[in-house]
């Protein structure tokens, strides 16, 4: 078996992309099985199956839910091999039917009729969309109700258990950084010296580097570098946070196939291909689109063939160590410098661009995220007070007061009548008790903020406005503070911002002080002790 043939197992178009019980080529099956990574979700599935007794009183239905390509079939195939007995029946993919004329819904109805009449437990792999469809169309009304209960409330029934890949996020933001155990381990399976692929690579390397498949060998060797893998994981985190892109086992393996197998270098494939749903998003983060002084000087120098000698020395090192020949344009070099940014090599010419590739927005966002999720009063209070008062509330107030930027910190423009501006007074600040109480490590890529309305005390304390902040909203807030005005491209994020503003307006309209201000006059209405004082 050749290295280039084994690579095909990674492709989504490969017959090995979905696990079945009838794979043919044993060598390719071994390559695929060598790539399998067992994760916490598998442990939970196996533990649940182990608890199912062989008597009918403990019968259960287990739904393994998720998105297409996240590994449901692979996991359930392994579970079936381990628990192959008449007391547990498996249906690996609920989008399939047993007969050509049957529908997927009809097949599920048949499975549940057999379940009701039998003494076995039932294990079903199902896409979350299909689960929603079956909750509406199942012939058994009791089953409909149990499925709807899960979809609406995320609750298991006594005899219906749901395990969802969505509850096992691929990225974890930790107290001191971030990690993706899934992606890291999968990359290790693909590139470690003990892997099937690596052994095949070593066997074919010399011949492959002098063949039409040269790029495949150069790219694979580049991917084996842990510093390049670190850049890839960071980029995938950005794509996950900014574009809400779920990363499944199948899409990730297909991504690796596209990076290695396309007829260009890995760093160009990473930002130029669109035949993979992750790569469609990575194009938006192409570092060659950056406009900085250092990058622009490099581009001009490259076009004029006037770059210093240390660039030529660095190119020689690229050729001897990474087998990368002279590249065709400056964009390719910028992308190369980007993926090598954590790697020391030669005279480190590429390190001149380190600051240009710094992910300041991402790092700042993760820092505030951690202070919410891992709140420690002594450590987090100062950082969060600064974030709420100088960043979050300041940006929202600037957005509300864009037609009256001269207003003071506690003043909000709520409407205009002819020449008069109607101004409300609200004192806002962070609600630290709510933050400490709600440290939800949800792993969904956003955190909840809690703004306390200090002017509206009641027996339960000051009211609090709570909402979620993802990295897109965080970026918009940062840009608003710098004077940015949203446009139609920001529509989805602005909708979120307007919802927050409207909630604040509910309090602003009930403030105990309202001002009517014109160019030459200002009238203050102050409510106190059931009386309204008027000041001119």
């Amino acid at each position: 078996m050749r290295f280039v043939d084994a690579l095909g197992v990674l492709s989504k178009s490969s017959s090995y992309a979905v696990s079945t019980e009838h794979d043919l080529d044993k060598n390719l099956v071994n390559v695929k099985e060598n790539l399998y990574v067992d994760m916490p979700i598998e442990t939970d599935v196996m533990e649940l199956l182990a608890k199912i007794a062989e008597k009918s009183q403990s019968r259960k239905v287990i739904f393994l839910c998720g998105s297409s390509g996240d590994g449901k079939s692979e996991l359930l195939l392994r579970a079936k091999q381990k628990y192959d007995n008449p007391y547990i029946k498996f249906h690996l993919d609920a989008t399939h039917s047993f007969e050509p004329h049957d529908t997927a819904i009809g097949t599920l109805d048949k499975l549940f009729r057999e379940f009701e009449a039998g003494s076995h437990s039932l294990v079903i792999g199902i896409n979350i969309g299909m689960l929603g469809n079956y909750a509406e169309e199942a012939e058994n009304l009791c089953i409909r109700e149990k499925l709807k209960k899960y979809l609406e409330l995320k609750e298991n029934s006594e005899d219906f258990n749901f395990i969802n890949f969505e509850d096992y996020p691929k990225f974890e933001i930790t107290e001191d950084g971030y990690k993706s155990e899934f992606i890291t381990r999968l990359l290790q399976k693909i590139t470690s010296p003990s892997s099937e692929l690596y052994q095949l690579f070593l066997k074919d390397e010399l011949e492959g580097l002098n063949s039409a498949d040269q790029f495949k060998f150069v790219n694979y060797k580049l991917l084996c570098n842990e510093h390049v893998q670190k850049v890839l994981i960071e980029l995938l985190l950005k794509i996950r946070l900014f574009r809400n892109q779920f990363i499944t086992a199948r899409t990730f393996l297909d991504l690796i196939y596209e990076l290695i197998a396309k007829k260009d270098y890995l760093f160009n494939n990473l930002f130029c291909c669109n035949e993979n749903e992750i790569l469609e998003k990575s194009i938006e983060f192409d570092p060659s689109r950056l406009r900085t002084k250092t990058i622009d000087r490099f581009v001009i120098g490259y076009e004029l063939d006037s770059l210093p000698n240390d660039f030529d020395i660095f190119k020689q090192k690229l050729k001897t160590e990474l087998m990368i020949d002279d590249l065709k344009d400056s964009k390719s070099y910028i992308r190369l410098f980007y993926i090598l940014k954590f790697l020391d090599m030669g005279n480190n010419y590429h390190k001149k661009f380190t600051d240009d590739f710094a992910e300041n927005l991402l790092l700042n966002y993760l820092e505030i995220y951690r202070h919410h999720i891992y709140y420690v009063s002594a450590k987090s209070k100062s950082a969060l007070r600064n974030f709420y008062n100088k960043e979050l509330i300041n940006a929202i107030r600037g957005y509300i007061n864009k037609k009256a930027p001269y207003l003071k910190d506690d003043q909000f423009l709520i409407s205009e009548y002819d020449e008069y501006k109607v101004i409300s007074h609200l004192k806002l600040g962070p609600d630290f008790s709510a933050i400490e109480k709600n440290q939800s490590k949800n792993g969904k890529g956003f955190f909840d903020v809690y703004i306390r309305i200090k002017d509206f005390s009641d027996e339960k304390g000051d009211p609090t406005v709570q909402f979620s902040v993802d990295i897109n909203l965080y970026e918009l807030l940062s840009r608003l503070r710098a004077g940015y005005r949203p446009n139609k491209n920001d529509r989805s994020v602005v909708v979120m911002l307007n919802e927050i503003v409207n909630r604040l307006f509910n309090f602003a309209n009930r403030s105990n002080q309202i001002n009517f201000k014109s160019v030459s006059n200002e009238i203050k209405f102050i409510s106190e002790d059931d009386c309204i004082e008027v000041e001119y």
Side-chain angles (χ1 to χ4, degrees):
M1 181 171 55
R2 298 169 62 239
F3 171 72
V4 293
D5 295 328
L7 277 178
V9 171
L10 304 176
S11 173
K12 65 182 177 183
S13 60
S14 165
S15 58
Y16 298 88
V18 179
S19 291
T20 68
E21 300 175 81
H22 306 289
D23 290 325
L24 300 176
D25 191 307
K26 291 184 178 180
N27 290 323
L28 292 177
V29 170
N30 288 336
V31 171
K32 182 189 175 185
E33 290 180 347
N34 185 246
L35 297 175
Y36 186 78
V37 173
D38 58 310
M39 298 299 289
I41 189 171
E42 179 174 357
T43 302
D44 290 350
V45 169
M46 296 301 184
E47 287 180 355
L48 191 55
L49 288 173
K51 292 177 182 177
I52 298 177
E54 294 184 356
K55 46 191 179 181
S56 60
Q57 289 85 346
S58 64
R59 292 188 311 148
K60 286 184 179 293
V61 176
I62 300 172
F63 282 99
L64 180 61
C65 316
S67 304
S68 177
D70 53 17
K72 296 184 297 297
S73 299
E74 180 72 39
L75 196 164
L76 290 185
L77 185 59
R78 294 166 71 87
K80 183 175 182 180
Q81 292 167 348
K82 185 174 182 178
Y83 295 96
D84 185 16
N85 63 63
Y87 300 100
I88 304 177
K89 290 190 177 181
F90 290 82
H91 186 49
L92 301 188
D93 191 339
T95 60
H96 292 175
S97 58
F98 297 137
E99 301 293 340
H101 59 272
D102 285 346
T103 65
I105 297 291
T107 299
L108 287 171
D109 285 336
K110 182 178 179 180
L111 285 171
F112 279 106
R113 285 196 296 269
E114 293 174 353
F115 171 74
E116 293 291 336
S119 59
H120 60 276
S121 291
L122 185 59
V123 183
I124 301 172
I126 189 165
N127 288 353
I128 199 69
M130 184 64 189
L131 186 68
N133 292 340
Y134 194 60
E136 298 295 332
E137 300 181 38
E139 66 178 10
N140 187 312
L141 296 180
C142 181
I143 291 174
R144 283 194 196 186
E145 291 304 314
K146 290 179 179 180
L147 298 186
K148 288 180 179 179
K149 181 180 179 182
Y150 169 73
L151 290 171
E152 294 171 4
L153 305 174
K154 296 297 181 183
E155 290 184 7
N156 289 314
S157 306
E158 185 176 344
D159 54 344
F160 273 55
N161 292 97
F162 301 83
I163 297 181
N164 196 332
F165 273 85
E166 187 178 309
D167 298 327
Y168 299 80
K170 298 297 190 295
F171 283 95
E172 179 185 355
I173 299 173
T174 63
E175 292 188 65
D176 55 0
Y178 59 86
K179 64 180 182 179
S180 175
E181 184 182 357
F182 168 76
I183 293 176
T184 300
R185 290 179 60 190
L186 203 45
L187 281 171
Q188 289 172 348
K189 288 279 188 177
I190 295 169
T191 62
S192 69
S194 61
S195 72
E196 261 325 300
L197 274 176
Y198 193 87
Q199 293 301 314
L200 291 170
F201 166 78
L202 289 180
K203 181 171 69 71
D204 296 346
E205 181 181 14
L206 188 59
E207 180 183 346
L209 288 172
N210 296 286
S211 71
D213 293 315
Q214 175 190 8
F215 280 121
K216 294 183 177 68
F217 288 84
V218 174
N219 290 338
Y220 179 76
K221 187 170 183 178
L222 195 57
L223 184 69
C224 288
N225 189 294
E226 62 181 16
H227 297 289
V228 173
Q229 293 179 16
K230 183 179 177 182
V231 176
L232 182 60
I233 291 172
E234 180 185 73
L235 177 63
L236 291 175
L237 174 61
K238 286 175 63 177
I239 293 171
R240 173 69 185 93
L241 292 176
F242 276 101
R243 296 297 172 258
N244 201 30
Q245 173 65 50
F246 286 96
I247 299 173
T248 66
R250 190 184 305 167
T251 56
F252 180 75
L253 291 175
D254 184 63
L255 164 71
I256 298 302
Y257 175 78
E258 296 290 335
L259 294 182
I260 297 174
K262 287 299 179 183
K263 293 185 177 180
D264 204 338
Y265 288 113
L266 179 147
F267 43 88
N268 280 330
N269 295 337
L270 183 57
F271 298 108
C272 294
C273 295
N274 58 4
E275 296 177 23
N276 172 278
E277 59 188 85
I278 300 174
L279 288 175
E280 288 177 357
K281 308 294 190 305
S282 69
I283 292 174
E284 302 174 36
F285 302 96
D286 185 351
S288 70
R289 296 182 178 186
L290 294 172
R291 295 276 66 87
T292 69
K293 183 184 293 186
T294 308
I295 289 177
D296 287 347
R297 282 178 176 174
F298 173 80
V299 172
I300 293 170
Y302 180 87
E303 298 300 328
L304 297 176
D305 196 21
S306 61
L307 291 170
N309 187 51
D310 54 350
F311 176 60
D312 293 323
I313 295 172
F314 183 71
K315 286 199 298 181
Q316 288 300 317
K317 205 69 174 177
L318 289 174
K319 187 172 294 187
T320 56
E321 288 197 15
L322 301 180
M323 298 168 290
I324 296 174
D325 294 322
D326 288 354
L327 302 177
K328 58 186 179 181
D329 54 41
S330 58
K331 288 184 177 181
S332 297
Y333 277 109
I334 298 299
R335 293 167 185 150
L336 173 60
F337 298 156
Y338 171 77
I339 70 158
L340 299 181
K341 66 179 181 177
F342 297 129
L343 175 68
D344 286 317
M345 192 180 73
N347 62 6
N348 279 335
Y349 178 86
H350 62 300
K351 294 283 187 176
K352 294 180 179 181
F353 305 88
T354 300
D355 291 341
D356 302 274
F357 300 141
E359 305 288 357
N360 292 325
L361 176 69
L362 175 64
L363 295 175
N364 292 338
Y365 174 77
L366 294 179
E367 181 69 13
I368 300 302
Y369 182 105
R370 291 187 196 98
H371 282 303
H372 281 88
I373 302 300
Y374 304 100
Y375 179 82
V376 179
S377 57
K379 182 180 178 181
S380 301
K381 215 165 192 175
S382 176
L384 288 183
R385 182 178 283 111
N386 186 68
F387 165 69
Y388 274 80
N389 294 333
K390 295 184 180 180
E391 298 182 38
L392 177 63
I393 295 172
N394 190 34
I396 294 174
R397 185 172 54 245
Y399 179 70
I400 293 172
N401 295 341
K402 52 183 174 287
K403 292 184 179 180
Y406 50 81
L407 295 181
K408 297 178 181 178
D409 286 353
D410 62 344
Q411 295 183 328
F412 293 84
L413 177 66
I414 56 177
S415 62
E416 293 180 273
Y417 295 98
D418 296 327
E419 64 178 31
Y420 281 94
K421 289 179 169 57
V422 183
I423 301 163
S424 177
H425 290 248
L426 284 181
K427 292 183 179 180
L428 309 178
D431 189 337
F432 290 115
S433 61
I435 295 170
E436 186 172 12
K437 183 180 178 181
N438 297 282
Q439 297 179 62
S440 173
K441 298 173 179 61
N442 53 53
K444 297 184 184 299
F446 60 82
F447 59 87
D448 292 328
V449 302
Y450 300 86
I451 296 178
R452 186 162 59 96
I453 316 297
K454 300 177 183 179
D455 312 69
F456 287 82
S457 299
D458 55 29
E459 67 277 4
K460 296 181 180 179
D462 296 327
T464 296
V465 174
Q466 176 265 330
F467 55 90
S468 299
V469 174
D470 64 11
I471 198 166
N472 292 298
L473 180 56
Y474 181 84
E475 180 184 31
L476 178 62
L477 293 171
S478 299
R479 297 172 75 183
L480 287 174
R481 294 198 314 276
Y484 175 75
R485 289 293 173 259
N487 57 48
K488 62 180 181 180
N489 296 322
D490 305 303
R491 187 173 301 160
S492 60
V493 190
V494 170
V495 168
M496 297 169 56
L497 181 58
N498 285 336
E499 289 178 359
I500 297 165
V501 168
N502 288 335
R503 292 172 65 186
L504 288 174
F505 274 175
N506 288 333
F507 291 100
N509 288 326
R510 294 185 283 128
S511 172
N512 64 356
Q513 181 175 338
I514 300 290
N515 294 9
F516 285 77
K517 184 179 180 63
S518 68
V519 175
S520 59
N521 192 23
E522 183 171 4
I523 306 172
K524 299 179 182 179
F525 294 85
I526 303 171
S527 175
E528 189 173 336
D529 297 328
D530 296 327
C531 297
I532 297 178
E533 296 183 6
V534 181
E535 296 182 7
Y536 291 91

